[in-house]
Amino acid sequence: MVSNEKIKFAVIGCGHIGKRHASMIQGNDGCELVALCDVKPRAELGIDAYPEAKLFSSIDELLKSDLAFDVVSIATPNGFHEEQALKALDRNCHVVIEKPMALTKAGCEKIIFKALHKHKQVFCVMQNRYSPPSEWLKNIIEEGILGKIYMVQINCYWNRDDRYYKPDTKTGRPTTWHGTKELDGGTLFTQFSHFIDLMYWYFGDIKNINARLKDFSHQNITDFEDSGFVSFDFVEGGVGSLNYSTAIWDKNLESSITVIAENGSIKVGGQYMNEVEYCHIKNYDMPVLKESNPPNDYGPYKGSAANHHYIYENIVDVINGKGNITTNALEGLKVVDIIERIYHS
């Protein structure tokens, strides 16, 4: 692609996250939004802010059209990611896939296999890596400032109640894709895969997984657990634990990571690992970090950091041959692989 040409995007899924992708595309000088796609009618989508985009009612209608676009951004329910990514690659498009990349490791492998054959890029959306505390922690680990890693504890305690799952008043079952095994996948896929990505990014793969999962307050409104204690060993040394729950009353409590290492200890906390709460390292002065971006705000509940603009800056650089991909398909696969092994342990 010639570097001074705008990269043309189609966004599949016009929910909260789909519209965030569309807005990030609009706000990047190297991008052009040409299409939106959703099964709902225009009047129900709230997409008046994107008049330049042609609306399609199905991915098949979009992909069979004569409209030219280079990249398909997939922001649909998790269970559709694999099928839609494969279809977009068949049309010789690059793909941007919201987390998780797919709901199975085998599904991720199919996407990677197809992308390699088509010589196309697969961008996985893991925007929490761009938060200043995340970049800082990654740097001090890679530079060996912490020394050997002894223990890592990750705590993810969020609220997801009826305001999120919107259960039917008669059946108690969810009225959206959230909470369903087929399209949601599970708590670790939808709520906490960003934090598993950070753990893998910092410390690498895990082994000897032992998980205890419980469902305290979502027995009727979801198909899966709402809480878990997970212990494991890191392949590169050290032990870790992941403690998580969506059964927290009323609002999110925290997402934090505590690292006990040879040369000191740190804790990055806040609601989405957005602030350094503790740093005490031998012969090291904590630098002043930039303020983290606010979380995605969905009204009564909040999600991870609103860093999607960094994703699109990287996409433009990579497709124009000016940079390396920051969250590649193999890393997207490893997050799914770790979640799959936790659920099967």
Side-chain angles (χ1 to χ4, degrees), residues 249-310:
W249 177 72
D250 192 46
K251 64 181 182 180
N252 293 350
L253 172 59
E254 70 161 356
S255 297
S256 69
I257 181 167
T258 302
V259 182
I260 309 300
E262 179 182 22
N263 295 332
S265 305
I266 66 97
K267 181 178 181 180
V268 177
Q271 285 198 23
Y272 51 104
M273 295 186 190
N274 55 303
E275 58 188 67
V276 179
E277 295 182 355
Y278 183 84
C279 174
H280 186 56
I281 304 173
K282 182 169 58 179
N283 301 323
Y284 180 80
D285 293 324
M286 178 72 205
V288 177
L289 304 181
K290 293 186 297 183
E291 188 171 346
S292 296
N293 287 320
N296 291 310
D297 191 340
Y298 307 115
Y301 56 92
K302 292 179 171 55
S304 292
N307 289 334
H308 282 79
H309 59 292
Y310 295 122

Side-chain angles (χ1 to χ4, degrees), residues 16-225:
H16 291 296
I17 292 297
K19 287 195 276 285
R20 175 165 294 278
H21 279 262
S23 296
M24 296 303 103
I25 294 165
Q26 276 187 329
N28 189 306
D29 291 338
C31 302
E32 181 180 355
L33 179 66
V34 299
L36 295 171
C37 178
D38 201 290
V39 295
K40 293 181 178 178
R42 176 181 291 275
E44 296 180 17
L45 295 175
I47 55 173
D48 291 345
Y50 317 105
E52 72 276 32
K54 184 175 181 180
L55 179 63
F56 294 85
S57 60
S58 75
I59 183 174
D60 292 332
E61 180 189 3
L62 168 69
L63 297 178
K64 289 177 181 175
S65 74
D66 294 329
L67 192 66
F69 48 89
D70 310 292
V71 185
V72 173
S73 297
I74 298 171
T76 53
N78 304 339
F80 294 137
H81 291 181
E82 174 188 340
E83 177 187 358
Q84 293 173 340
L86 292 172
K87 286 183 175 181
L89 288 165
D90 270 332
R91 207 215 198 229
N92 294 310
C93 293
H94 305 287
V95 291
V96 181
I97 311 175
E98 261 295 341
K99 56 84 181 168
M101 182 177 172
L103 287 181
T104 64
K105 179 184 177 185
C108 297
E109 289 172 338
K110 288 179 184 177
I111 295 170
I112 293 173
F113 184 81
K114 178 79 73 175
L116 289 171
H117 275 258
K118 293 288 187 177
H119 302 288
K120 295 298 175 185
Q121 298 284 358
V122 176
F123 300 88
C124 296
V125 179
M126 292 295 178
Q127 76 272 15
N128 280 19
R129 293 185 182 193
Y130 293 98
S131 293
S134 302
E135 293 179 327
W136 166 77
L137 179 52
K138 174 70 171 175
N139 286 336
I140 64 171
I141 292 169
E142 288 197 335
E143 291 173 4
I145 293 172
L146 281 170
K148 292 181 180 177
I149 303 300
Y150 296 154
M151 300 177 68
V152 176
Q153 179 178 345
I154 298 170
N155 291 331
C156 302
Y157 298 131
W158 280 8
N159 163 268
R160 291 295 184 269
D161 55 22
D162 287 1
R163 294 170 293 182
Y164 178 83
Y165 291 109
K166 298 179 172 59
D168 183 272
T169 54
K170 294 182 178 178
T171 67
R173 300 296 302 153
T175 56
T176 71
W177 64 274
H178 294 292
T180 64
K181 188 67 176 177
E182 181 183 12
L183 293 181
D184 183 315
T187 307
L188 290 177
F189 282 112
T190 301
Q191 273 71 50
F192 301 131
S193 58
H194 282 304
F195 305 114
I196 293 174
D197 171 67
L198 288 176
M199 180 187 74
Y200 176 72
W201 189 46
Y202 296 144
F203 306 108
D205 206 352
I206 62 175
K207 61 182 182 180
N208 301 329
I209 300 169
N210 186 4
R212 294 183 61 204
L213 308 183
K214 294 287 185 181
D215 190 351
F216 293 111
S217 61
H218 295 76
Q219 289 92 345
N220 294 323
I221 57 176
T222 73
D223 294 336
F224 38 75
E225 91 295 348

